[in-house]
């Protein structure tokens, strides 16, 4: 045998190299076999009689964020009968609803592969069909409606209970097809989010319907049908109550916020505010056959949406026409649109007296919503008279807002007893989180209102106690959420596949204390899934801390809370907010040296000097493509003037 024959024999006997198993359950990864990734227990383990060890959590780093929805390029087209107003091959949601009649566009017919038949257990959807009234769904629609009714409705209200989603929307879907399709679409989006959170990239889908792109495409189709049904009804002059239209606007805003189309969402909110203003200017009668509580419910909903859109604009500085207007401009002499700065100060500060103590968090929330809206109206009105840089009002008119400062202090005093009871036995996690969010919102509002008269970034240092409290409250919310999900997902903590992290969290169950290093692991929280709610929560206050707090430890805590617990609250996205905070921090800390970490002093002997401090000037982004252009510069400088601090960058996530 020659030497070359020996080499060939050795090569043939050598074991073939196989790539490492990177996905799958813990048992299959240990055995180094391919896992089919069926959840909650893979079929390999079930067939072999083994106990499936569950699936590892995704690592969440600043470079690899968990998306809220699939990237458009990842959506595979499928449909059998797309609505006339939207092609199912579109990778973006349909355009916002227009009340003005349009010529129907002819759908482009493209060959499509037939959709896979949905399994009765696909996505663990119940095969039971919920049929409102006499209008039955097909199998797919009925399953998604069940998802909305049992899961999505509660998720959308965020940290607060809301009968709007669990009662009013479901009641209206009995009689209104556009609302019914919108509800089904939101149920499909919920399944999209669930699959995006649970299924590792590249996981096999076993040729089933239960994939994020399929759920997402179905949601787009239902949204298109909802738009078409409402538009056809309006074009055909069918009677539609303002209540029906307003609920539809809320649902469309919700859908657009989820899919990342903030421009369409802002347009919807502005349209809804216009309808409500028309309603106020009419005979001020109650909604037909619905009672005063229904009108109050919708007014509160749009008040919160208006606050959300206005806060988004104040933080990201959108160009016209995406600047939300809270004050109507048609009637300049109305109380909502003062004719002089003195009128703005006097009319905007009026409010019903606050109680000495809030009896419930819902009462406190309504009072804070009203106060926030009137503060925003006040600043909007005065900004039309004082065209300051970055919408900063002159110090000379600061006294005109003294009433708001007093009211913010009164609200805090009336809320303090509720705040102190949040850790007592019998308080649910949802109620506790709602209390924390209200206090965070109050602290943020106080900071932004008082700094609305200052042209110096140095003045933010006086609010360090506010920043620290915001971060501590946010940690309580996120840690409670992590512990609850860990218990539901892994049961007995001793058997938790993430027990190393879980052991760190055991000490947090009482007072939400946090040992050094708890947020230092690159994968953040192991059990928290990406989430969406229409109501605001922890993101805006943490964004303020991330961009305005110069305590290196507190700022980093805020950024890591945003990045490690991916969520979207209305139009606010935690990943984008965290990336913006990180960029501002890197600019301001250039030359300060490496941050030494916990236990080494809050500033490590360094201080962000006046010359280093910048503010966000503009953020132009595409949430669907997950890219953004960030611009910053000197606080108080006009955009048209040269600015040596001006910086710009483009980010992807």
């Amino acid at each position: 045998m020659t030497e070359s024959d020996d080499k060939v024999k050795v090569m043939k006997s050598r074991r073939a190299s196989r790539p490492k198993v990177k996905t799958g359950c813990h048992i299959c990864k240990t055995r180094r076999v391919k896992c089919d990734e069926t959840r909650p227990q893979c079929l390999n383990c079930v067939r072999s009689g083994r106990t499936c060890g569950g699936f590892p959590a995704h690592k969440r780093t600043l470079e690899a964020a968990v998306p809220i929805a699939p990237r458009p390029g990842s959506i595979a087209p499928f449909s059998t009968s797309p609505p006339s107003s939207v092609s199912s091959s579109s990778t973006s949601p349909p355009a916002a609803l227009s009340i003005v009649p349009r010529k129907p566009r002819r759908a482009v017919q493209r060959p499509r592969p037939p959709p896979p038949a949905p399994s009765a257990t696909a996505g663990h959807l119940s095969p039971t069909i919920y049929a409102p009234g006499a209008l039955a769904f097909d199998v797919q629609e009925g399953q998604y409606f069940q998802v909305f009714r049992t899961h999505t409705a509660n998720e959308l209200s965020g940290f607060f209970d809301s009968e709007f989603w669990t009662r009013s929307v479901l009641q209206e879907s009995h009689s209104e097809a556009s609302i019914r399709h919108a509800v089904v679409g939101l149920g499909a989006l919920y399944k999209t989010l669930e699959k995006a959170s649970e299924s590792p990239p590249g996981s096999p889908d076993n040729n089933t319907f239960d994939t994020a792109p399929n759920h997402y495409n179905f949601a787009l189709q239902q949204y298109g049908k909802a738009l078409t049904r409402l538009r056809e009804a309006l074009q055909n002059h069918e009677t539609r109550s303002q209540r029906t239209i307003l609920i539809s606007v809320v649902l469309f805003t919700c859908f657009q916020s989820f899919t990342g189309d903030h421009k369409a969402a802002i347009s919807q909110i502005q349209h809804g505010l216009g309808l409500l203003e028309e309603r106020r200017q009419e005979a001020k009668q109650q909604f037909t056959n619905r009672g005063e509580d229904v009108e109050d419910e919708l007014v509160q909903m749009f008040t919160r949406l208006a606050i959300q859109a206005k806060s988004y604009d104040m933080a990201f500085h959108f160009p016209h026409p995406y600047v939300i207007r809270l004050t109507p401009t048609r009637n300049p002499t109305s109380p909502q649109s003062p004719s002089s700065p003195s009128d703005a100060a006097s009319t905007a500060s009026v409010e019903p007296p606050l109680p000495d103590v809030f009896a419930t968090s819902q009462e406190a929330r309504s009072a804070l919503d009203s106060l926030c809206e009137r503060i925003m109206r006040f600043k909007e009105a005065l900004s039309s008279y004082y065209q300051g840089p970055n919408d900063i009002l002159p110090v000379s008119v600061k006294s005109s807002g003294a009433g708001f400062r007093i009211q913010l202090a009164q609200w805090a005093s009336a809320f303090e007893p509720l705040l102190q009871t949040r850790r007592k036995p019998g308080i649910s996690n949802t109620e506790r989180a709602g209390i924390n969010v209200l206090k965070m919102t109050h602290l943020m509002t106080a900071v932004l209102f008082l700094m609305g008269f200052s042209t110096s970034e140095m003045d933010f240092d006086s609010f360090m106690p506010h920043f620290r409290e915001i971060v501590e409250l946010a940690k309580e919310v996120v840690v409670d959420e992590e512990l609850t999900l860990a218990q539901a997902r892994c049961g007995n903590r001793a058997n938790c596949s993430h027990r190393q992290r879980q052991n760190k969290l055991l000490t947090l169950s009482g007072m939400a204390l946090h040992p050094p290093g708890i947020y230092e692991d690159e994968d953040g929280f192991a059990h928290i899934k990406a989430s969406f709610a229409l109501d605001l929560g922890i993101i805006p206050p943490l964004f303020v801390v991330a961009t305005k707090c110069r305590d290196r430890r507190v700022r980093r805590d805020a950024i890591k809370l945003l990045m490690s617990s991916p969520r979207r609250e209305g139009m606010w996205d935690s990943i984008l907010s965290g990336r913006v905070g990180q960029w501002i921090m890197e600019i301001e800390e250039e030359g300060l040296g490496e941050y030494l970490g916990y236990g080494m002093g809050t500033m490590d002997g360094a201080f962000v000097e006046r010359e280093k401090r910048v503010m966000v000037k503009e953020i132009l982004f595409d949430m669907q493509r997950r890219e953004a252009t960030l611009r910053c510069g000197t606080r108080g400088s006009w955009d048209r003037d040269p600015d040596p601090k001006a910086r710009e960058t483009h980010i992807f996530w």
Side-chain angles (χ1 to χ4, degrees):
M1 183 177 292
T2 64
E3 183 179 353
S4 60
D5 292 335
D6 291 338
K7 288 183 179 180
V8 171
K9 185 176 182 180
V10 170
M11 291 178 63
K12 287 184 178 180
S13 62
R14 190 173 295 165
R15 184 176 180 179
S17 174
R18 292 184 175 86
K20 293 182 179 179
V21 180
K22 295 184 178 180
T23 62
C25 74
H26 293 289
I27 300 299
C28 289
K29 290 182 70 175
T30 302
R31 297 174 59 209
R32 300 178 66 82
V33 299
K34 183 174 179 59
C35 179
D36 60 70
E37 300 190 29
T38 302
R39 297 171 188 264
Q41 298 186 46
C42 78
L43 295 180
N44 285 346
C45 292
V46 173
R47 291 181 186 130
S48 61
R50 294 179 174 87
T51 300
C52 185
F55 296 84
H58 297 298
K59 288 189 175 182
R60 295 164 187 162
T61 65
L62 299 181
E63 291 75 26
V66 176
I68 300 299
R71 199 183 292 272
S74 68
I75 300 173
F78 85 97
S79 177
T80 52
S81 54
S84 60
S85 65
V86 56
S87 169
S88 66
S89 62
S90 172
T91 58
S92 299
L97 170 69
S98 173
I99 302 300
V100 180
R102 297 179 181 176
K103 283 187 177 181
R105 293 180 295 176
R106 181 175 299 174
V108 179
Q109 298 297 326
R110 300 175 183 176
R112 301 182 182 87
S119 168
T121 58
H124 306 292
L125 294 175
S126 169
T128 304
I129 298 179
Y130 183 85
L135 300 175
F137 291 120
D138 61 29
V139 174
Q140 289 182 3
E141 293 175 342
Q143 291 174 340
Y144 286 122
F145 191 91
Q146 282 284 64
V147 171
F148 180 92
R149 191 168 66 91
T150 57
H151 298 288
T152 313
N154 290 322
E155 294 284 335
L156 290 177
S157 57
F159 300 107
F160 304 95
D161 295 327
S162 173
E163 290 190 353
F164 174 80
W165 297 106
T166 58
R167 177 179 58 85
S168 299
V169 170
L170 293 176
Q171 286 178 348
E172 195 71 16
S173 65
H174 281 247
S175 57
E176 183 56 49
S178 64
I179 292 178
R180 191 159 55 250
H181 284 299
V183 164
V184 171
L186 289 172
L189 283 184
Y190 179 86
K191 293 300 297 181
T192 299
L193 183 58
E194 182 179 283
K195 294 303 296 181
S197 299
E198 291 185 355
S199 296
S203 297
D205 58 22
N206 296 327
N207 199 30
T208 67
F209 180 85
D210 189 24
T211 66
N214 282 348
H215 294 310
Y216 193 77
N217 268 309
F218 193 86
L220 294 185
Q221 293 179 36
Q222 291 297 310
Y223 176 62
K225 289 180 180 180
L227 290 174
T228 300
R229 294 300 294 270
L230 183 56
R231 185 179 292 125
E232 288 175 349
L234 296 174
Q235 289 175 341
N236 296 334
H237 304 289
E238 297 178 15
T239 302
R240 287 295 184 276
S241 68
Q242 283 188 326
R243 179 179 186 274
T244 296
I245 296 175
L246 287 170
I247 291 179
S248 298
V249 169
V250 174
L251 293 172
F252 298 157
T253 300
C254 185
F255 195 100
Q256 291 151 354
S257 297
F258 188 107
T259 57
D261 190 352
H262 74 280
K263 293 180 179 180
I266 289 173
S267 298
Q268 292 285 6
I269 294 171
Q270 192 71 75
H271 178 69
L273 292 175
L275 290 178
L276 283 176
E277 184 58 32
E278 290 177 6
R279 178 66 173 152
R280 291 190 187 102
Q281 297 303 321
E282 290 174 355
K284 296 183 179 180
Q285 298 174 353
Q286 301 168 351
F287 283 92
T288 306
N289 298 327
R290 293 294 182 182
E292 187 176 358
D293 63 318
V294 173
E295 182 174 3
D296 289 344
E297 181 181 61
L298 282 169
V299 168
Q300 290 177 0
M301 178 64 69
F302 275 97
T303 296
R304 290 162 188 155
L305 289 176
I307 292 172
Q308 177 187 141
K310 195 68 175 178
S311 67
Y312 212 35
D313 171 47
M314 292 169 63
F316 287 31
H317 307 285
F318 296 139
H320 185 77
Y322 304 109
V323 179
I324 199 79
R325 288 284 308 179
L326 304 180
T327 305
T329 57
R330 292 189 301 271
N331 184 6
T333 61
S334 69
Q336 290 78 23
S337 183
S339 56
S340 69
S342 59
D343 290 342
S346 60
T347 59
S349 298
V350 176
E351 78 160 302
L354 294 174
D356 293 334
V357 176
F358 290 119
T360 64
S361 58
Q362 203 63 37
E363 181 185 12
R365 186 189 187 197
S366 297
L368 185 59
D369 286 341
S370 175
L371 181 54
C372 289
E373 185 199 23
R374 285 182 293 104
I375 287 176
M376 289 180 172
R377 285 179 179 268
F378 167 79
K379 293 191 66 175
E380 182 181 278
L382 285 184
S383 295
S384 63
Y385 299 105
Y386 303 102
Q387 302 289 332
N390 314 129
D391 292 326
I392 298 173
L393 297 172
V395 179
S396 59
V397 300
K398 187 174 182 179
S399 59
S400 63
F404 288 122
R405 187 170 187 171
I406 294 173
Q407 292 160 23
L408 285 166
Q410 290 174 339
W411 187 94
S413 177
F415 187 71
E416 186 62 23
L418 270 177
L419 184 65
Q420 295 303 321
T421 63
R422 70 189 186 280
R423 306 303 305 187
K424 289 186 176 181
I427 302 295
S428 67
N429 285 345
T430 300
E431 186 176 359
R432 183 184 304 117
I435 290 173
N436 284 6
V437 165
L438 287 176
K439 183 59 180 178
M440 292 170 67
T441 303
H442 165 262
L443 293 168
M444 174 189 67
T445 303
V447 172
L448 296 181
F449 171 67
L450 295 173
M451 285 301 299
F453 302 91
S454 172
T455 57
S456 173
E457 285 288 318
M458 300 296 291
D459 291 341
F460 279 102
D461 291 350
S462 62
F463 297 101
M464 279 307 308
H466 291 62
F467 295 146
R468 291 192 182 97
E469 188 172 1
I470 286 174
V471 170
E472 293 302 311
L473 291 168
K475 285 180 181 178
E476 288 190 24
V477 172
V478 176
V479 166
D480 281 347
E481 184 177 346
E482 167 74 3
L483 287 171
T484 300
L485 290 173
Q487 179 67 26
R489 180 176 172 184
C490 298
N492 189 341
R493 292 191 181 99
N495 298 327
C496 179
S497 57
H498 317 91
R499 57 182 175 272
Q500 181 178 359
R501 168 160 297 279
Q502 191 65 31
N503 288 338
K504 291 182 179 181
L505 293 172
L506 289 178
T507 58
L508 307 177
S509 57
M511 294 299 294
L513 303 174
H514 46 283
I518 183 167
Y519 301 108
E520 293 179 355
D521 299 77
E522 65 173 351
D523 59 346
F525 295 93
H527 300 87
I528 289 180
K529 303 176 182 179
S531 63
F532 173 82
L534 188 60
D535 279 334
L536 294 183
I538 68 174
I539 299 178
L542 286 175
F543 176 82
V544 172
V545 178
T547 54
K548 299 301 182 184
C549 175
R550 274 74 185 195
D551 183 308
R552 301 179 81 180
R553 171 177 175 173
V554 175
R555 170 182 254 174
R556 280 166 171 75
D557 277 349
I559 293 172
K560 286 194 175 183
L561 284 168
L562 288 168
M563 298 297 297
S564 61
S565 56
R567 62 189 75 225
R568 187 169 296 162
E569 297 166 355
M571 293 173 282
W572 282 85
D573 186 85
S574 66
I575 304 301
L576 174 59
S577 299
R579 292 294 299 271
V580 173
Q582 183 190 22
W583 182 61
I584 296 294
M585 178 185 70
E586 291 171 351
I587 290 174
E588 294 188 335
E589 294 188 4
E590 287 177 351
L592 291 183
E594 184 180 358
Y595 175 66
L596 299 180
Y598 292 84
M600 305 300 294
T602 56
M603 294 294 291
D604 293 344
F607 187 78
V608 180
E609 299 178 350
R610 182 188 304 269
E611 291 71 23
K612 285 282 190 179
R613 299 193 181 192
V614 295
M615 73 169 290
V616 174
K617 289 283 188 172
E618 188 177 45
I619 302 177
L620 303 175
F621 60 90
D622 187 329
M623 198 69 70
Q624 295 168 333
R625 295 182 180 275
R626 296 180 214 146
E627 58 180 296
T629 298
L630 317 180
R631 299 190 180 103
C632 69
T634 304
R635 184 179 183 86
S637 66
W638 293 93
D639 294 337
R640 60 178 177 270
D641 295 336
D643 185 357
K645 294 184 183 179
R647 302 279 284 271
E648 179 177 316
T649 191
H650 198 77
I651 63 172
F652 302 87
W653 68 95

